[in-house]
């Protein structure tokens, strides 16, 4: 289908473009950007007056709960949530049920996702079989099936010898290992150690649970040469260690979740289980460090950490509640909110959810890496059209996701997605 | 008599005269907190009775607990045995009779009195229970929403505190 | 963060649930203590019962076993003329996998008016208060490590009874504070009532430095902690602490932090010794002290019934 998008404000963080213009799309690709020849005869014209036309968002962490929840139609609902949030490519962690440690499972997941004609799905494979931290997975087979990296999700490998060998093996082939820096033993609490956890009587996760794990990971990177992407940094001390590791030249990248970007442990309030998250929300100092680090590039990407949780699993005392929050539909707005509050340009804010996540994925995206997360002539037409001036209130019951819980319930956020295109197909349009 | 013409001290004198014939050798004076308790204190002295007067609170037996919650009042203090004693109950203002009912229930938690006689300073009518005093110093008429209570200044002089309802 | 009203108070600032001492105005605490005084005198009467909760059903939901606490709540409710139902959840529906909220919904269908809840997880009573019907009141009988507000209140009643004025006291809380809901409630109450010097005494594993954020002075030396104290609150040491690598043995704990007559002599001569019970003789407290002249451990129990009567009658009388 030929589509013409007219009168939009074209913003492409990768090239620095931020100017009014039109976009022409044909056969799933962007054929003209900025000025479109009058010879182009579209079958559909979208008037993007007052809207920003940006690359579709790339979310490096979104759980879709499949395999595991097929009977609840979760893949359908969560992928619908993604495009409603302007996300056109997403990476999902491998902690599904069963975990993604077999090529067959990965192929099936990619097949089902492709048939939905919504966002592009890039699964991570497990680093060890069953996430058990003992036996390595067949990484080459999994890459062939479509995995873009290997991860232990939230299950740290306690055995340092296994971790070293896993990193060594992955580095043989240049695969990126995605690790959550969390010590297996010190990380068992349910809230960040500190005055609030002490007052509420909740078991704490000290900052050293993150920093000890980071030191371990960096040491192993030095001896194995592995490339690592650190998932969900939560502390100022952790950020500082990453800064030093990058300065040293270690091949490391990292991301933070929208939750840690905006909230602190004080938001737990009266044991609000919507705030039961992993990593836990830390204190103001940590949030400030995370916000500054995302701005200066120490943190490479912002993720939604979308983890839909069942109502029953949240309606429990805080420590028993399942951690997780719905984020796909909030990623854009929360990136914009951070950008506004930090005095950054729209382009800079968008970069954290478009071209920077793509840079993290590197050549794992194959041919798509030249156009994913960017507006470029000849590239795949993954676009997000949104109204930057609109403000909307977060009502979890209205989410398209089946996870009706968010720490941002009741917040008023900037930026409303009007349309999302994936490979030139209008995957979402608001009325 | 309208409420503005009330002279609490003068009425007290009438109350004193009126209860004198009601007092028996072993009568115990019990005043309903707070106004009744002040009256009982002075009566105990002026009647030359031995021992101490009692103070009784309706807080634990009120029938409006669900609507108004726990009321703050000085706790009941009865420094004598209730069993077999004639009790002279003193209150400042008698209205619906519910406070008197509650206070009698409270009294019975302490024992079985020989008799309970009620004497009040002022009766404003509006009874909702079959309760009648043996002696009243004055009958008054006030609007149903108005509140009438006894007040006592630092020197111990009585007066009436009247608050008009909304 | 969006502001939330303290779920214990209704829109008029009246107490409708007792979930924690945090956030209770000093005036509310004093009012409960005053009311408790009234109920204490009820225990001396011929008829030890008042009709305030007549016709109301109080359900004791103990997800964590405790015969002592449950018994005092039962006595308190019965003295208020309430009907009491004891539910031993630990062995029944929760074991069958029924969720906490389903249990509450089922009990509400049986027209419960008040839930007295003890649970092993911090915050459980808040969840219950959030989901139960508007006319139902919740009393927290202990949630995880977070709070044991009736114990905190009866401890304050005890201190007020023996010392009268809170504003010139030195109070030492000794023992496993980091795991103690009693300690947290006591500390919140003491700070709210204006106690100027509150000391938290114990080894670093049980009394971590960040406790000072609660307004206490952390002391790892027992002598320094109790010197000149007017009140000493000893806490129970649980066996799990040894298996969790926080302490080597009960014996070593007693050596450093046990309250013996010699150590007690460092406090003021009229210092009172308190303990929430049950006491571990020879672990946190010497028998000579527990049974001694300065111990007020038994009066605490008597005060406990009156305080619980005060709490239940106060909240039952306020509407959501």
């Amino acid at each position: 289908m030929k589509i013409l998008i007219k009168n939009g404000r074209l913003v492409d963080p990768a090239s620095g473009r931020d100017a009014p213009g039109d976009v022409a799309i044909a056969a799933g690709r962007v054929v003209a950007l900025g000025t479109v020849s009058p010879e182009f005869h579209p079958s559909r014209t979208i008037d993007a007056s007052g809207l920003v036309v940006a690359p579709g968002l790339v979310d490096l962490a979104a759980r879709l709960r499949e395999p595991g929840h097929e009977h609840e139609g979760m893949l359908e609902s969560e992928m619908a949530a993604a495009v409603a949030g302007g996300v056109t490519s997403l990476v999902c962690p491998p902690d599904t049920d069963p975990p993604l440690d077999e090529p067959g499972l990965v192929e099936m997941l990619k097949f089902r996702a492709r048939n939905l004609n919504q966002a592009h799905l890039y699964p991570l494979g497990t680093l060890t079989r069953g996430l058990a931290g003992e036996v390595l997975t067949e990484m080459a087979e999994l890459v062939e099936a479509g995995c873009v990296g290997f991860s232990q999700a939230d299950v740290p490998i306690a055995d340092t010898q296994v971790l070293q060998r896993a990193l060594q093996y992955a580095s043989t082939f240049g695969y990126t290992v995605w690790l959550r820096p969390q010590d297996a033993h010190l990380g068992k609490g349910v809230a960040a150690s500190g005055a609030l956890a002490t007052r509420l009587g909740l078991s704490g996760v000290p900052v050293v649970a993150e920093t000890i794990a980071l030191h371990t990971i960096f040491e192993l990177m030095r001896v194995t040469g592995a490339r690592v992407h650190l998932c969900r940094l939560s502390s100022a001390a952790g950020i500082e260690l990453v800064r030093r590791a990058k300065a040293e030249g270690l091949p490391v990248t990292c991301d933070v979740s929208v939750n840690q970007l905006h909230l602190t442990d004080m938001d737990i309030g009266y044991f609000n289980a919507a705030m039961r998250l992993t990593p836990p929300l830390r204190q103001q100092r940590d949030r400030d460090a995370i916000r500054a680090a995302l701005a200066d590039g120490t943190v490479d990407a912002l993720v939604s950490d979308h983890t839909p949780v069942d109502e029953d699993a949240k309606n429990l005392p805080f420590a028993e509640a399942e951690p997780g929050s719905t984020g796909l539909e909030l990623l854009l707005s929360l990136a914009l909110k951070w950008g506004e509050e930090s005095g950054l340009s729209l382009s800079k804010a968008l970069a954290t959810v478009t071209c920077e996540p793509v840079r993290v994925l590197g050549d794992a995206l194959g041919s798509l890496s030249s156009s994913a997360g960017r507006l470029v002539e000849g590239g795949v037409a993954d676009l997000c059209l949104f109204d930057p001036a609109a403000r909307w209130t977060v009502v979890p019951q209205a989410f398209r996701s089946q996870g009706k819980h968010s720490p941002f319930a009741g917040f008023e956020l900037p930026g409303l997605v009007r349309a999302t295109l994936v490979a030139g197909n209008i995957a979402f349009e608001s009325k | 008599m309208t409420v503005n013409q009330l002279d609490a001290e003068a009425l007290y004198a009438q109350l004193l005269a009126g209860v004198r014939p009601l007092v028996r050798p072993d009568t115990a004076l019990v005043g309903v907190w707070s106004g009744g308790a002040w009256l009982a204190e002075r009566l105990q002295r002026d009647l030359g009775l031995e021992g101490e007067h009692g103070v009784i609170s309706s807080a634990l037996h009120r029938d409006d607990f669900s609507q108004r919650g726990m009321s703050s009042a000085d706790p009941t203090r009865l420094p004598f045995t209730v069993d077999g004693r004639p009790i002279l109950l003193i209150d400042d203002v008698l209205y619906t009779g519910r406070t008197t009912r509650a206070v009698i229930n409270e009294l019975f938690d302490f024992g079985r009195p020989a008799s309970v006689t009620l004497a009040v300073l002022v009766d404003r009518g509006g009874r909702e229970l079959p309760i009648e005093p043996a002696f009243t110093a004055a009958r008054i008429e006030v609007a149903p929403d108005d509140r009438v209570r006894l007040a006592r200044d630092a020197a111990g002089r009585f007066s009436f505190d009247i608050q008009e309802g909304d | 963060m969006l502001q939330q009203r303290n779920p214990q108070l209704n829109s008029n600032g009246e107490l409708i649930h007792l979930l924690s001492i945090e956030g209770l105005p000093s005036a509310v605490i004093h009012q409960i203590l005053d009311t408790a005084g009234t109920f204490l005198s009820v225990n001396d009467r011929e008829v030890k019962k008042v009709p305030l909760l007549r016709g109301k059903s109080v359900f004791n939901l103990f997800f964590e076993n405790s015969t002592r606490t449950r018994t005092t709540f039962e006595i308190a409710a019965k003295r208020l003329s309430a009907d009491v139902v004891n539910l031993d959840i630990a062995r029944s529906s929760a074991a069958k996998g029924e969720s906490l909220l389903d249990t509450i919904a089922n009990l509400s269908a049986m027209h419960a008016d008040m839930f007295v809840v003890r649970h092993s997880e911090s915050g459980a009573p808040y969840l219950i208060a959030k989901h139960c019907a508007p006319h139902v009141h919740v009393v927290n009988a202990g949630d995880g490590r977070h709070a044991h507000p009736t114990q905190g209140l009866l401890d304050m009643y005890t201190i007020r009874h023996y010392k009268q004025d809170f504003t010139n006291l030195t109070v030492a809380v000794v023992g496993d504070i980091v795991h103690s809901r009693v300690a947290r409630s006591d500390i919140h109450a003491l700070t709210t009532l204006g106690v100027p010097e509150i000391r938290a005494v114990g080894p670093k594993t049980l009394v971590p430095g960040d406790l000072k954020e609660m307004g206490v002075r952390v002391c790892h030396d027992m002598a320094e902690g109790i010197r000149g104290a007017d009140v000493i609150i000893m806490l129970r040491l649980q066996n799990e602490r040894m298996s969790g690598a926080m302490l080597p043995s009960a014996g070593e704990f007693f050596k450093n932090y046990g309250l013996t007559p010699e150590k007690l002599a460092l406090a003021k001569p009229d210092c009172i010794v308190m303990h929430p019970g049950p006491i571990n003789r020879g672990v946190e407290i010497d028998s000579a002290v527990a049974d001694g002249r300065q111990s007020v451990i038994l009066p605490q129990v008597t005060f406990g019934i009156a305080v619980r009567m005060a709490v239940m009658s106060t909240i039952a009388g306020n509407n959501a």
Side-chain angles (χ1 to χ4, degrees):
Chain A
M1 180 155 86
K2 287 185 174 176
I3 301 178
L4 174 64
I5 300 176
K6 286 177 46 156
N7 306 322
R9 172 182 163 194
L10 306 187
V11 179
D12 177 37
S15 65
R17 179 198 291 265
D18 184 348
D22 300 340
V23 183
I25 296 166
R29 290 193 175 260
V30 171
V31 295
L33 200 57
T35 34
V36 175
S37 146
E39 305 297 302
F40 182 75
H41 298 296
S43 40
R44 170 85 205 265
T45 301
I46 298 178
D47 180 10
S49 310
L51 302 184
V52 167
V53 179
L57 272 56
V58 178
D59 189 352
L60 296 182
R63 287 182 168 86
L64 306 170
R65 302 301 199 193
E66 278 202 28
H69 290 264
E70 289 84 342
H71 58 284
E72 286 158 65
M74 285 207 78
L75 189 65
E76 285 82 356
S77 60
E78 305 318 296
M79 293 293 264
V83 291
V87 174
T88 55
S89 298
L90 56 95
V91 175
C92 62
D95 55 352
T96 49
D97 178 20
L100 295 175
D101 61 1
E102 294 265 323
L105 292 170
V106 175
E107 278 156 10
M108 175 58 114
L109 179 61
K110 286 205 64 137
F111 176 73
R112 282 188 31 76
R114 218 164 25 238
N115 281 352
L116 290 175
N117 263 322
Q118 290 178 319
H120 306 292
L121 177 57
Y122 301 103
L124 290 171
T126 62
L127 188 62
T128 58
R129 278 199 188 279
L131 291 171
E134 288 163 10
V135 177
L136 303 181
T137 45
E138 290 173 312
M139 295 189 206
E141 302 263 343
L142 287 169
V143 162
E144 215 169 307
C147 287
V148 294
F150 297 94
S151 155
Q152 279 288 116
D154 289 336
V155 186
I157 297 183
D159 186 334
T160 36
Q161 187 163 70
V162 171
L163 183 57
Q164 176 179 23
R165 287 177 181 169
L167 289 169
Q168 212 154 37
Y169 186 78
S171 85
T172 311
F173 305 98
Y175 300 145
T176 305
V177 179
W178 295 46
L179 295 172
R180 268 261 335 255
Q182 175 126 308
D183 183 78
H185 305 290
L186 291 168
K188 286 199 193 121
V190 303
S193 294
L196 184 107
T198 299
R199 183 164 60 77
L200 291 186
L202 295 171
S203 55
V205 182
V207 168
V208 293
E210 185 165 283
T211 54
I212 286 177
L214 285 169
H215 279 297
T216 304
I217 291 169
F218 292 147
E219 282 286 73
L220 292 178
M221 283 173 73
R222 287 175 193 117
V223 300
T224 60
R227 166 174 292 278
V228 169
H229 174 74
L230 297 165
C231 307
R232 308 327 94 73
L233 270 285
S234 74
S235 70
I239 298 272
E240 187 50 37
L241 287 177
V242 171
R243 190 169 275 130
R244 285 190 233 156
K246 283 188 169 184
E248 185 189 323
L250 286 180
V252 66
T253 53
C254 72
D255 67 53
V256 293
S257 142
V258 290
N259 299 319
Q260 268 69 28
L261 188 66
H262 288 287
L263 306 168
T264 67
D265 59 356
M266 293 300 288
D267 292 301
I268 294 177
Y270 296 107
F271 298 97
N272 183 356
M275 306 293 168
R276 171 84 173 92
L277 301 165
T278 177
L281 297 170
R282 291 200 180 275
Q283 285 93 51
Q284 176 112 341
R285 263 194 66 236
D286 303 293
R287 178 180 60 181
D288 292 346
I290 286 171
R291 290 166 80 91
L294 189 60
D296 73 24
T298 304
V299 172
D300 301 273
L302 179 65
V303 307
S304 71
D305 205 16
H306 179 83
T307 302
V309 178
D310 211 34
E311 188 77 26
D312 290 340
K314 279 294 190 188
N315 271 339
L316 291 170
F318 194 84
E320 290 174 1
E322 195 181 310
S325 65
T326 297
L328 276 169
E329 294 162 79
L330 305 176
L331 181 62
L332 174 66
S333 292
L334 291 171
L336 295 177
K337 180 173 155 74
W338 162 73
E340 271 177 25
E341 290 166 352
S342 308
L344 300 169
S345 67
L346 183 70
S347 193
K348 178 86 172 112
L350 282 176
T352 62
V353 291
T354 53
C355 53
E356 293 303 305
V358 168
R359 194 173 51 73
V360 167
L361 287 167
D363 47 15
L365 284 181
S367 59
L368 281 172
S369 55
S370 58
S371 70
R374 307 152 130 232
L375 288 180
V376 60
E377 268 180 27
V380 174
D382 292 340
L383 304 173
C384 168
L385 278 64
F386 66 90
D387 180 353
R391 298 196 106 71
W392 59 287
T393 305
V394 179
V395 178
Q397 288 307 316
F399 284 161
R400 282 164 185 81
S401 163
Q402 289 190 46
K404 306 292 185 197
H405 290 274
S406 168
F408 298 97
F411 274 58
E412 206 200 42
L413 297 180
L416 198 55
V417 176
R418 293 284 181 213
T420 305
L421 283 80
V422 180
N425 168 45
I426 302 176
F428 170 80
E429 205 170 1
S430 74
K431 304 293 157 259
Chain B
M1 195 183 285
T2 68
V3 84
N4 297 316
Q5 299 167 308
L6 290 181
D7 175 347
E9 284 294 330
L11 288 178
Y12 171 78
Q14 291 187 37
L15 179 68
L16 176 58
V19 303
R20 210 180 280 276
L22 300 173
V23 172
R24 303 224 301 263
D26 53 346
T27 294
L29 268 188
V30 175
V32 179
W33 186 89
S34 60
W38 295 331
L39 292 168
E41 187 185 347
R42 221 204 263 186
L43 285 171
Q44 181 91 3
R45 224 175 32 238
D46 293 344
L47 290 168
L49 295 176
E50 268 182 34
E52 271 188 81
H53 70 289
V55 175
I56 198 159
S57 157
S58 61
L60 299 180
H61 285 273
R62 297 188 67 85
D63 63 8
D64 58 358
F65 173 72
S66 315
Q67 291 92 328
R68 292 184 42 200
M70 200 59 205
S71 79
S72 60
D74 281 1
T76 296
R77 202 178 139 267
L78 303 176
F80 46 78
T81 320
V82 168
D83 277 330
R85 294 288 287 269
I87 304 286
L88 181 55
L89 201 54
I90 309 289
D91 206 356
D92 52 352
V93 181
L94 177 60
Y95 183 13
T96 60
R98 291 176 189 272
T99 300
T100 311
R101 194 279 313 159
V103 150
I104 291 175
N105 272 78
E106 173 87 349
L107 189 61
F108 274 74
D109 279 352
F110 286 80
R112 187 177 182 275
S115 63
V116 179
T117 310
L118 176 67
V120 302
L121 197 62
V122 150
D123 179 347
R124 59 181 283 190
R127 213 79 77 237
E128 290 170 5
L129 294 178
I131 301 240
E132 278 311 307
F135 179 82
T136 310
R139 282 181 180 68
I140 59 169
E141 264 188 42
V142 284
D145 286 341
D146 290 357
R147 279 189 63 190
V148 183
R149 280 187 308 186
L150 193 67
R152 186 173 75 170
D153 67 16
R157 286 187 60 84
F158 293 135
S159 61
F160 281 103
D161 173 32
I162 297 134
Q163 273 165 25
E164 273 160 45
D166 309 310
Chain C
M1 175 175 73
L2 303 178
Q3 288 310 322
Q4 296 165 274
R5 174 155 52 82
N6 189 329
Q8 306 188 81
L9 306 174
N10 64 13
S11 47
N12 295 332
E14 297 161 332
L15 200 65
I16 51 172
H17 303 296
L18 180 66
L19 305 176
S20 169
I21 303 221
E22 298 160 86
L24 288 190
S26 166
V28 170
I29 297 180
H30 276 292
Q31 188 210 339
I32 294 177
L33 299 186
D34 291 339
T35 308
T38 306
F39 286 120
L40 205 56
S41 64
V42 168
N43 291 336
D44 293 330
R45 299 181 186 184
E46 176 109 0
V47 175
K48 294 174 183 30
K49 215 182 238 234
V50 293
L52 293 171
L53 258 55
R54 194 165 57 114
K56 304 285 186 202
S57 301
V58 173
F59 283 56
N60 276 333
L61 296 181
F62 277 59
F63 292 85
E64 209 185 56
N65 277 327
S66 165
T67 317
R68 289 164 54 97
T69 306
R70 209 189 62 197
T71 307
T72 56
F73 273 104
E74 187 173 344
I75 293 174
K78 284 183 172 165
R79 292 212 176 139
L80 293 170
S81 302
D83 296 321
V84 177
V85 179
N86 287 317
L87 287 139
D88 194 0
I89 308 276
R91 270 202 291 272
S92 58
S93 41
K96 290 182 201 139
E98 189 182 39
S99 78
L100 176 60
L101 291 184
D102 278 342
T103 304
I104 297 300
N106 282 331
L107 295 174
S108 296
M110 296 182 209
H111 302 290
D113 296 292
M114 188 179 293
F115 289 124
V116 175
V117 182
R118 171 169 281 204
H119 199 284
S120 54
E121 290 295 345
S122 302
Y126 286 80
L127 186 65
I128 293 175
K130 196 164 134 187
H131 285 91
C132 64
H135 67 280
V136 177
H137 303 278
V138 179
V139 178
N140 181 5
D143 64 327
R145 293 190 222 165
H146 170 240
H148 194 354
T150 56
Q151 182 73 41
L153 289 169
L154 81 86
D155 286 349
M156 294 310 109
Y157 188 89
T158 306
I159 295 175
R160 194 171 85 160
H161 180 89
Y162 290 98
K163 299 289 173 185
Q164 289 81 48
D165 183 10
F166 287 99
T167 62
N168 59 7
L169 293 180
T170 296
V171 178
V173 184
V174 183
D176 184 5
I177 295 177
V178 78
H179 297 102
S180 169
R181 52 191 172 215
V182 172
R184 281 178 178 76
S185 287
D186 281 342
I187 290 170
H188 287 305
L190 292 166
T191 50
T192 305
L193 294 173
V195 172
E197 170 97 348
I198 307 166
R199 301 176 192 156
V201 186
K204 285 188 185 177
T205 43
L206 302 181
V207 183
D210 64 9
L211 275 176
K212 69 178 182 328
E213 309 283 345
M214 288 183 64
V216 302
R217 199 179 109 202
V218 170
C219 298
H220 300 303
D221 179 63
M222 176 70 162
E224 182 202 331
I226 62 173
R227 185 164 294 124
D230 298 283
V231 178
I232 299 175
I233 301 177
M234 299 303 297
L235 299 171
R236 227 173 91 74
L237 184 71
Q238 289 159 311
N239 288 329
E240 298 91 274
R241 305 306 154 234
M242 271 63 86
S243 52
M246 292 183 161
L247 281 182
S249 68
E252 185 148 301
F253 180 81
F254 183 68
K255 183 159 175 288
N256 289 320
Y257 299 98
L259 189 60
T260 58
E262 296 72 44
K263 299 223 191 88
L264 182 56
L266 293 169
K268 291 213 180 98
D270 59 351
C271 175
I272 55 173
V273 175
M274 295 169 54
H275 192 301
I279 58 181
N280 279 330
R281 289 166 184 271
V283 175
E284 63 258 5
I285 190 167
D286 194 88
S287 280
V289 175
D291 303 327
R293 182 185 52 83
Q294 289 167 260
S295 160
V296 301
I297 297 175
L298 289 178
Q300 277 177 276
V301 178
T302 312
F303 298 150
I305 296 180
V307 165
R308 283 163 180 133
M309 288 172 77
V311 167
M312 291 174 156
S313 57
T314 299
I315 64 179
N318 292 327
N319 299 317

